Amino acid sequence: STNIAPGAVTFNALAPRPVGTNVGIGGLAISLGSGNYSSTAANVDVPNLTVTIASTGTPVFVGLISDGTNSLYSKIGTATHNQEPTVSLGFTRDNILISSFAIFGFVGAGGGVDLFVPPGSASYVDMPIASTHTYTFRVLDVSSGDFDVEISYVRLIAYEF
């Protein structure tokens, strides 16, 4: 028989997985870090949160992770003195929005609030056609008032299942 026996191929015998901001099939795409990004602008890609990956057409995981290089904590969210802060964020593939979500809060009269979630809470499984695709993380909308969106010390990752 020409079948490989279960357990015959050890982890050390596997080819290394390419890692970078632009990878081929089988690679792990990891962006540069976001730094401490803060803005009131809407419909903008967060600087540095861009990766390019070649796909065979099977599902691709896209998400945010901590950048692991700063002693401060990683976060995504909003800082405001507004009573109803809202920020809409999303992932794009080839400049087309493929997934979006909102962070929304409400505080009673006279109070402001900062709303932050861990970067791992932002993820999506994409079903692209076989091709090379560029993914970004984008600020879609921000509520009016004394408020901004904050994306701090995170990286964008993408890999094909």
Side-chain angles (χ1 to χ4, degrees):
S1 169
T2 59
N3 293 334
I4 298 174
V9 179
T10 64
F11 187 76
N12 292 339
L14 297 175
R17 183 174 228 183
V19 177
T21 59
N22 185 341
V23 296
I25 292 171
L28 174 61
I30 302 179
S31 75
L32 301 174
S34 65
N36 190 18
Y37 177 76
S38 177
S39 177
T40 58
N43 296 311
V44 294
D45 293 337
V46 177
N48 293 333
L49 298 188
T50 301
V51 295
T52 301
I53 185 170
S55 166
T56 62
T58 60
V60 172
F61 174 86
V62 183
L64 297 181
I65 60 171
S66 171
D67 71 4
T69 61
N70 197 297
S71 61
L72 300 174
Y73 56 89
S74 299
K75 62 185 178 182
I76 59 175
T78 174
T80 181
H81 297 288
N82 187 333
Q83 291 178 322
E84 295 184 27
T86 304
V87 60
S88 299
L89 305 164
F91 294 100
T92 67
R93 177 190 0 99
D94 304 329
N95 210 30
I96 297 170
L97 183 66
I98 56 171
S99 175
S100 63
F101 64 96
I103 300 172
F104 174 80
F106 178 78
V107 175
V113 66
D114 292 351
L115 293 171
F116 296 103
V117 297
S121 63
S123 63
Y124 180 69
V125 176
D126 188 29
M127 305 292 285
I129 61 168
S131 187
T132 298
H133 301 287
T134 298
Y135 291 93
T136 64
F137 189 66
R138 182 174 290 173
V139 176
L140 302 172
D141 195 17
V142 293
S143 63
S144 61
D146 180 16
F147 138 89
D148 63 357
V149 62
E150 293 185 16
I151 314 291
S152 300
Y153 311 113
V154 301
R155 288 181 174 206
L156 176 68
I157 64 168
Y159 58 88
E160 191 171 32
F161 288 107

